């Protein structure tokens, strides 16, 4: 299905504003650092267009595709909005770490505490939908750690063949499996989760290949 674009655009804008407002109110130093990070990106990382560009990996759309085709977002709206909020915070966190690994300077090192706060923002929205003993939490923990492991291994490898690329490099976008699995669980479609996760994995291989190729070309 195609995600309701206006709903998604509003959810992204609201998520960005909520993240920035939370930082401003509770951690003004982190707020100023995050603003510097976002304004250093063009198009602005604090703009919904940055997340919804047609060339970007569709990690925000995945829960919408899982939930199914609908004319109007109804009872799923709070859950879907929370997946957007979580994924926006998670993206900022992952992007920050990747930038630091690519080019370590004093400014990026100062951003490390921002990553700590963003990780909380990534996890917190799901607490409203899944109790503490739900299988989702074990899946989130394992997937988040696996994605971090892939990022670390990829950074240390000097030569990458096809097998290493599929097993390691392409897994750097594995965090997109989390909102996908969450949507399967929320919709009572746990039986379909393996197929959806296989789709996300295959899409991740394609995404990372294209990203690496054009990074090399530039």
């Amino acid at each position: 299905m195609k995600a309701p674009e206006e709903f998604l655009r509003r959810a992204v804008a609201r998520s960005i504003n909520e993240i920035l407002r939370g930082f401003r109110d509770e951690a003004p130093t982190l707020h100023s650092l995050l603003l510097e990070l976002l304004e250093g990106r063009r198009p602005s990382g604090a703009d919904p267009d940055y997340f919804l560009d047609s060339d970007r990996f569709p990690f925000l759309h995945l829960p919408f595709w899982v939930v199914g085709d609908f004319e109007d977002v109804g009872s799923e709206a709070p859950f879907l909005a929370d997946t957007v909020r979580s994924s926006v915070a998670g993206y900022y966190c992952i992007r920050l770490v990747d930038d630091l690994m690519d080019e370590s300077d004093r400014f990026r090192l100062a951003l490390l505490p921002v990553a700590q706060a963003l990780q909380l923002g990534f996890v917190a929205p799901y607490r409203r939908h899944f109790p503490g003993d739900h299988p989702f939490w074990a899946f989130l923990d394992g997937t988040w750690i696996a994605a971090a492991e892939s990022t670390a291994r990829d950074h240390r490898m000097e030569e990458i063949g096809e097998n290493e690329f599929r097993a390691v490099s392409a897994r750097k976008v594995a965090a997109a499996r989390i909102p996908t699995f969450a949507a399967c669980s929320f919709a009572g479609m746990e039986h379909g989760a393996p197929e959806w996760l296989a789709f996300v994995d295959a899409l991740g291989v394609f995404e990372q290949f294209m990203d690496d190729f054009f990074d090399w070309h530039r």
Side-chain angles (χ1 to χ4, degrees), residues 155-170:
H155 183 71
R156 299 184 70 175
M157 290 191 300
E158 296 182 0
E159 295 185 7
I160 303 176
E162 180 179 351
N163 291 335
E164 291 81 8
F165 177 81
R166 290 182 177 275
V168 180
S169 302

Side-chain angles (χ1 to χ4, degrees), residues 12-218:
V12 172
R14 186 165 56 248
S15 298
I16 294 170
N17 289 334
E18 288 175 356
I19 290 169
L20 289 172
R21 184 171 62 249
F23 274 53
R24 184 188 64 228
D25 295 343
E26 300 177 22
T29 302
L30 298 183
H31 176 259
S32 64
L33 288 169
L34 181 58
L35 276 180
E36 287 185 59
L37 173 70
L38 301 188
E39 289 304 316
R41 294 189 161 283
R42 291 292 183 267
S44 174
D47 189 316
D49 288 338
Y50 178 79
F51 288 90
L52 299 176
D53 187 281
S54 59
D55 291 336
R56 187 167 297 284
F57 187 73
F59 62 98
L60 295 178
H61 292 73
L62 289 167
F64 290 80
W65 295 347
V66 171
V67 166
D69 195 7
F70 49 84
E71 293 294 328
D72 298 308
V73 177
S75 60
E76 301 93 348
F79 169 77
L80 291 170
D82 279 341
T83 67
V84 173
R85 168 71 184 273
S86 169
S87 294
V88 168
Y91 174 84
Y92 284 152
C93 181
I94 292 170
R95 185 74 268 162
L96 189 160
V97 172
D98 281 349
D99 286 353
L100 181 60
M101 295 181 74
D102 288 341
E103 186 177 350
S104 179
D105 57 32
R106 291 184 65 184
F107 170 69
R108 288 182 175 84
L109 285 173
L111 286 168
L112 282 175
V114 178
Q116 291 178 277
L118 288 171
Q119 189 166 358
L120 288 176
F122 168 71
V123 174
Y126 290 117
R127 294 197 181 110
R128 291 189 280 270
H129 304 283
F130 302 111
D133 60 349
H134 195 282
F136 167 77
W137 295 109
F139 182 86
L140 182 150
D141 290 346
T143 303
W144 190 251
I145 291 171
E149 170 70 8
S150 295
T151 299
R153 287 182 61 191
D154 181 74
H155 183 71
R156 299 184 70 175
M157 290 191 300
E158 296 182 0
E159 295 185 7
I160 303 176
E162 180 179 351
N163 291 335
E164 291 81 8
F165 177 81
R166 290 182 177 275
V168 180
S169 302
R171 303 290 293 176
K172 291 195 294 182
V173 296
R177 302 172 104 235
I178 293 170
T180 305
F181 185 82
C184 290
S185 298
F186 178 82
M189 296 170 49
E190 289 87 352
H191 63 283
E195 287 77 13
W196 276 107
L197 296 176
F199 167 71
V200 174
D201 291 344
L203 194 62
V205 172
F206 177 77
E207 161 71 15
Q208 196 61 41
F209 178 80
M210 294 294 290
D211 184 67
D212 286 354
F213 176 80
F214 286 109
D215 276 352
W216 165 81
H217 185 68
R218 283 193 293 269

